[in-house]
Amino acid sequence: MPETLAEAVARRRTFAIISHPDAGKTTLTEKLLLFGGAIQLAGEVKAKKDRIQTRSDWMKIERERGISVVTSVMTFEYDNTVFNLLDTPGHEDFADDTYRTLTAVDAAIMVIDAAKGIEPRTLKLFEVCRLRDIPIITFVNKMDREARDTFEILEEVQEKLALDTVPMTWPIGQGKSFAGTYHLKESAVRYGDSEVGLTKVNGPEVVSEKLPEHERQEWAEMAELAIDGYPVFDRQAFLEGHMTPVYFGSALRNNGVRDLIHALSDFAPAPRAQVADVRTVEATDPKMSAFVFKIQANMDPNHRDRIAFVRVCSGTLTRGMKARLARTGKQMGLTAPQFFFASQRQLADTAYAGDVVGIPNHGALRIGDTLTDGEALVFQGVPNFAPEILRRVRLEDAMKAKKLKEALQQMAEEGVVQLFTPEDGSPAIVGVVGALQLDVLKERLKAEYGLPVSFEMARFSVCRWISAEKNADLEKFISGHRGDIARDLDGDPVFLAQDGFSLNYESERAPEIRMIAIKEYHQAKAA
Ligand code: G4P
């Protein structure tokens, strides 16, 4: 019997991994894919070259493994559960890309280095998850190395993230003596991921035989303390983002990853309802809806294609269907939607809510776009962050200004940079969150459009989207600041300020003007 939509939704988990660089995200990703049979492992992840230029952690895997995984999503199946793992770039210069990706997941694994605890980027990404009520499963990695005290790590997570922690497993030793994990609730052990099942034991003292003699007694006492000292795992509190189950292990040594997969299938939510302007859309709603959270160009160097990654929010997306693009109200045929696995792409005949598919297109789709099977609705919440660096683009060949304009427009639609067109007719300004984005822009303008460019400081360093209750107030402000106003890709006005000081000054002088640093895409822009 074919699978119903409800059944298909129930067995899907769409998630991302968040961590500070070096905590082990790449290694863990590789191990998860290995479990899903998505890759055949030939060795361990080796030296990381060019870390700075690594846009995607998966590019690293690709270089090291010689397989093609340069994609934003990887789908794999384990034990009848379909996992969609979304990649988030490792480098903070691409943070806005990461934030957009997090709008498309239902859960996240937070990887912590056992020697380092909560690091700055972990904290930042966690905060984004919290804003979006994304439940978090914690993985304390690198237990095979010298690690901090286990209780101390738990306390730090609890305090820094204001999150109730519940250890689900307890490390058996650490560093050289790390032997596996003890499952606190089940009183069972798993010494490595190659063990499929858990082995029941009669309490922690039995386990400690794996440890050097002088560590045994203390370990058994600590494990008893852990059993009594933490709240019972409450799935509801986890789903609401108040509680995190914590697992220990070593991704490198194949330890603890199997538990993590089980945690995802047992506790992480099936595709969640998504908020649109006119209503909340349940995943099991039979009408198809989806939104674009990422656009990737040049995935295949032989074809100059652009893939829009969409998260299906409800119903089924079928190959060949016609979808309505909310921004324009026009229909577009979805002739070749694709699934991504580690070493191949595959045409997606049917994708269910929770799935992520790539839609090849030639610029019709932009980040934040909503697709439906007819209904006029727009999903909220793919954010646009006020850039922190503003630059003017200087062309080496001034005759190519028109081509540059088109190229910048495309780059902005893909989310590579943001583009602001000043009202006074002066040259366009590009805005980015991190300097590496400018490098990517420069490289791509040269390689793809034959446009060598350089960047010049703009007179401005801060920008804010502006709006007002009364349109007349907005118009007045705009005409009074003509030289400091630009329009973004959607034609929305932004105020450009020289620095934070002048921004504050202007905003105090014009209290009727709202100046915002985060814009949700296409707010109230349903055609
Ligand atoms: P990232 O994507 O979060 O940046 O981290 P990545 O997986 O690349 O791991 C960072 C480093 O930590 C790598 O070492 C990796 O091998 C190591 N690592 C990851 N997980 C574990 C673990 O569980 N235990 C131990 N001991 N190490 C782990 P590297 O020095 O950059 O590369 P390599 O030459 O050692 O492979």
Side-chain angles (χ1 to χ4, degrees):
M1 218 168 39
E3 193 173 29
T4 65
L5 173 59
E7 284 164 352
V9 166
R11 68 187 189 95
R12 276 168 168 71
R13 299 290 180 271
T14 302
F15 72 105
I17 304 177
I18 59 170
S19 67
H20 192 85
D22 257 2
K25 184 160 67 116
T26 311
T27 312
L28 179 63
T29 300
E30 201 177 68
K31 296 297 159 81
L32 289 169
L33 297 178
L34 185 68
F35 267 101
I39 55 173
Q40 311 288 318
L41 202 68
E44 306 292 349
V45 176
K46 284 271 152 50
K48 266 184 301 237
K49 288 175 205 106
D50 314 328
R51 165 171 287 285
I52 284 294
Q53 293 299 341
T54 302
R55 276 201 80 182
S56 154
D57 283 334
W58 289 356
M59 287 168 76
K60 249 189 316 188
I61 301 183
E62 172 174 73
R63 270 203 308 270
E64 285 152 4
R65 313 231 56 87
I67 54 169
S68 171
V69 294
V70 183
T71 168
S72 303
V73 60
M74 286 280 231
T75 299
F76 62 95
E77 209 168 322
Y78 174 86
D79 242 7
N80 203 33
T81 302
V82 177
F83 294 94
N84 295 304
L85 169 52
L86 272 55
D87 185 30
T88 52
H91 199 285
E92 65 181 331
D93 277 15
F94 302 109
D96 50 354
D97 198 14
T98 298
Y99 299 155
R100 290 193 292 252
T101 296
L102 290 176
T103 63
V105 303
D106 301 304
I109 293 177
M110 174 170 71
V111 182
I112 296 175
D113 182 328
K116 299 194 173 144
I118 301 287
E119 297 176 86
R121 208 158 143 62
T122 328
L123 186 62
K124 186 125 193 232
L125 291 168
F126 168 77
E127 279 162 1
V128 177
C129 290
R130 167 160 281 168
L131 274 178
R132 311 216 157 251
D133 297 323
I134 297 170
I136 306 275
I137 297 169
T138 302
F139 183 62
V140 180
N141 190 30
K142 305 198 187 181
M143 287 306 301
D144 60 310
R145 282 213 192 140
E146 223 32 65
R148 301 231 315 250
D149 174 69
T150 310
F151 290 101
E152 204 184 291
I153 295 172
L154 291 167
E155 203 176 302
E156 185 173 301
V157 174
Q158 178 125 7
E159 280 186 3
K160 285 204 175 155
L161 309 185
L163 204 56
D164 286 334
T165 50
V166 181
M168 307 299 275
T169 62
W170 199 255
I172 302 172
Q174 57 163 258
K176 283 200 182 67
S177 61
F178 178 62
T181 47
Y182 176 68
H183 288 245
L184 294 167
K185 207 172 120 218
E186 324 220 1
S187 191
V189 291
R190 191 185 333 258
Y191 291 113
D193 286 331
S194 57
E195 294 172 32
V196 179
L198 291 173
T199 308
K200 283 270 180 199
V201 291
N202 287 326
E205 65 279 7
V206 182
V207 177
S208 56
E209 283 166 20
K210 287 268 173 185
L211 290 170
E213 219 172 317
H214 66 279
E215 290 182 21
R216 286 181 195 169
Q217 196 188 342
E218 194 192 344
W219 183 83
E221 282 168 20
M222 293 302 134
E224 290 289 355
L225 265 183
I227 293 168
D228 297 334
Y230 292 92
V232 176
F233 177 68
D234 172 354
R235 182 159 184 250
Q236 197 51 34
F238 159 71
L239 293 177
E240 288 166 7
H242 310 309
M243 183 178 265
T244 181
V246 183
Y247 293 82
F248 294 85
S250 161
L252 190 68
R253 301 275 164 87
N254 301 316
N255 218 312
V257 181
R258 194 182 283 277
D259 292 329
L260 215 44
I261 296 194
H262 289 172
L264 279 169
S265 45
D266 293 347
F267 307 138
R272 304 193 299 171
Q274 303 281 332
V275 181
D277 54 348
V278 291
R279 66 188 178 93
T280 297
V281 180
E282 295 294 333
T284 48
D285 185 329
K287 286 187 286 197
M288 194 288 291
S289 65
F291 69 86
V292 178
F293 64 93
K294 177 158 178 150
I295 296 201
Q296 206 162 335
N298 309 318
M299 288 189 39
D300 181 347
N302 300 322
H303 304 96
R304 274 252 200 132
D305 59 351
R306 238 168 125 173
I307 304 272
F309 285 91
V310 308
R311 161 161 175 143
V312 183
C313 298
S314 63
T316 41
L317 185 153
T318 48
R319 178 149 74 101
M321 77 183 287
K322 286 228 176 311
R324 177 182 187 277
L325 174 56
R327 181 168 42 80
T328 60
K330 293 204 177 111
Q331 298 276 328
M332 67 180 286
L334 306 182
T335 46
Q338 299 170 7
F339 284 131
F340 291 82
F341 305 96
S343 49
Q344 74 203 58
R345 307 182 192 186
Q346 207 176 75
L347 279 175
D349 287 324
T350 311
Y352 296 96
D355 283 339
V356 170
V357 295
I359 299 181
N361 70 102
H362 295 285
L365 292 173
R366 291 186 190 177
I367 283 179
D369 271 341
T370 298
L371 291 168
T372 66
D373 56 9
E375 191 178 353
L377 66 79
V378 176
F379 285 107
Q380 308 285 297
V382 180
N384 208 345
F385 294 84
E388 282 159 32
I389 303 173
L390 296 168
R391 292 285 183 273
R392 286 197 198 277
V393 184
R394 208 179 73 84
L395 258 179
E396 277 176 24
D397 179 355
M399 301 299 285
K400 293 189 170 159
K402 187 160 169 264
K403 198 169 172 199
L404 177 68
K405 204 173 158 203
E406 282 168 19
L408 288 175
Q409 164 101 8
Q410 278 191 23
M411 295 288 111
E413 286 174 9
E414 284 179 31
V416 176
V417 290
Q418 292 184 55
L419 182 64
F420 303 103
T421 312
E423 287 270 275
D424 64 6
S426 56
I429 291 175
V430 293
V432 292
V433 174
L436 282 180
Q437 285 177 281
L438 287 177
D439 293 351
V440 171
L441 176 66
K442 188 173 174 171
E443 227 170 83
R444 289 193 52 190
L445 285 176
K446 189 160 174 224
E448 292 166 37
Y449 299 89
L451 291 171
V453 299
S454 55
F455 300 108
E456 283 173 358
M457 297 290 281
R459 181 159 66 81
F460 316 102
S461 68
V462 192
C463 89
R464 292 289 180 267
W465 282 274
I466 50 173
S467 60
E469 198 77 16
K470 293 190 205 132
N471 211 24
D473 286 340
L474 185 63
E475 290 308 323
K476 188 166 157 237
F477 184 85
I478 289 177
S479 62
H481 296 79
R482 192 65 64 190
D484 304 331
I485 303 288
R487 301 274 168 177
D488 72 3
L489 200 59
D490 301 321
D492 291 330
V494 296
F495 174 62
L496 301 158
Q498 208 169 342
D499 49 31
F501 178 79
S502 69
L503 179 72
N504 282 344
Y505 176 78
E506 292 294 344
S507 102
E508 273 168 27
R509 278 190 5 148
E512 69 284 2
I513 302 295
R514 278 190 301 264
M515 299 196 177
I516 57 166
I518 301 175
K519 182 182 114 163
E520 308 277 314
Y521 275 77
H522 310 313
Q523 278 166 332
K525 277 226 158 134

